Amino acid sequence: MNCTNDIKESNIVFDVIKKRRSVRRFDRRPIPKEIMEHILEGARWAPSGANVQPWRFIVVEKREMLEALGNICYYRIFKSRHVNEAGAAVVICADIEAGSATYMLDCAIAGTNMTLMATSLGIGSCWIGAFEEPTVRGMLKIPQKLKIIALIAFGFEVGKASAPPRLPLSKIVHHDTYAGEPDLLSRIVKSGPFSVFGKLLRVLFNKR
Ligand SMILES: Cc1cc2nc3c(=O)[nH]c(=O)nc-3n(C[C@H](O)[C@H](O)[C@H](O)COP(=O)(O)O)c2cc1C
């Protein structure tokens, strides 16, 4: 039995993690209330430093507000229509007076829980970190004691977003101590035409 392959093939958490994509085309349908509640429950059960739970969520569902928000949200440097077309957007804020040293991390984890919960329920999502902060603050009447961390657009996907590539584990994981970046030669040997030869050498010398 190949344990690693069995886990990869049958693990529902891994399935949802891999299935989640940043979706940038939605069909404007509203998110059913019970689904939105489930997504928010996912956030509520996120871990947080010292269990302070500094997150506050503003759920925007009114069509005209989503349109207005969409006009001040971006994909890279470009205006993007995904918030305009979303069924809802959740603005994640942190109460900086709640006494949390880790509010950024806490809110990021809560957001991740929401996107994974959404995926598991057939709802697409997209993090938005590029937005006009003062305009969002004014539009949603957000007080200064709340730091706006990010928005997440949710909706029913149109088409199917493709998966951008990920770095291989060999490039991002270090065992026990940081081993530095692989030098140019070993990068060529690992990924270029010499990779088979390189693999053989690694097996012979018992290297990862
Ligand atoms: C913190 C954060 C901020 C992001 N900001 C934006 C954004 O402003 N606009 C956007 O369209 N996508 C945004 N994204 C989505 C990324 O572009 C996306 O996650 C990345 O390209 C990988 O694609 P995937 O989510 O489909 O795996 C953001 C993602 C994260 C985690």
Side-chain angles (χ1 to χ4, degrees):
M1 179 177 94
N2 184 334
C3 189
T4 312
N5 275 346
D6 283 353
I7 291 173
K8 274 188 186 160
E9 276 162 26
S10 65
N11 188 283
I12 49 170
V13 176
F14 190 53
D15 286 349
V16 174
I17 289 171
K18 276 191 79 179
K19 203 167 151 204
R20 184 213 54 80
R21 285 276 70 74
S22 288
V23 173
R24 298 190 178 87
R25 289 295 324 269
F26 299 111
D27 68 4
R28 289 191 153 86
R29 258 187 296 159
I31 312 282
K33 193 169 174 290
E34 60 279 18
I35 290 189
M36 201 64 229
E37 251 174 51
H38 233 67
I39 291 172
L40 293 163
E41 278 291 333
R44 191 166 78 89
W45 282 98
S48 60
N51 200 26
V52 169
Q53 307 164 62
W55 44 62
R56 304 292 179 262
F57 307 108
I58 301 167
V59 183
V60 180
E61 289 173 312
K62 279 194 183 135
R63 176 57 36 211
E64 65 274 17
M65 288 187 82
L66 288 168
E67 299 281 350
L69 265 186
N71 292 335
I72 47 162
C73 290
Y74 300 87
Y75 174 40
R76 301 198 172 136
I77 55 166
F78 305 105
K79 276 208 172 132
S80 172
R81 60 190 163 189
H82 41 316
V83 180
N84 308 57
E85 294 178 345
V90 174
V91 182
I92 306 177
C93 303
D95 182 348
I96 50 177
E97 294 172 7
S100 168
T102 54
Y103 62 80
M104 274 285 193
L105 293 170
D106 303 335
C107 288
I109 299 166
T112 296
N113 277 12
M114 285 196 274
T115 59
L116 293 178
M117 181 65 84
T119 304
S120 76
L121 297 170
I123 299 292
S125 62
C126 188
W127 278 88
I128 312 285
F131 55 89
E132 292 171 22
E133 201 266 0
T135 319
V136 173
R137 188 176 289 284
M139 196 186 290
L140 306 183
K141 303 187 172 62
I142 300 174
Q144 289 299 330
K145 74 166 195 143
L146 296 189
K147 184 171 172 59
I148 308 174
I149 307 295
L151 284 77
I152 302 181
F154 292 97
F156 290 92
E157 181 171 15
V158 171
K160 192 163 177 3
S162 54
R166 292 306 201 255
L167 296 171
L169 285 182
S170 58
K171 196 163 165 54
I172 56 177
V173 178
H174 300 257
H175 292 273
D176 298 327
T177 56
Y178 180 69
E181 297 298 317
D183 58 31
L184 187 60
L185 185 63
S186 50
R187 261 187 276 162
I188 292 169
V189 168
K190 271 188 185 163
S191 58
F194 306 111
S195 61
V196 177
F197 181 61
K199 269 181 201 147
L200 190 64
L201 281 180
R202 281 198 298 280
V203 169
L204 280 177
F205 292 100
N206 199 19
K207 291 255 157 70
R208 281 173 207 279

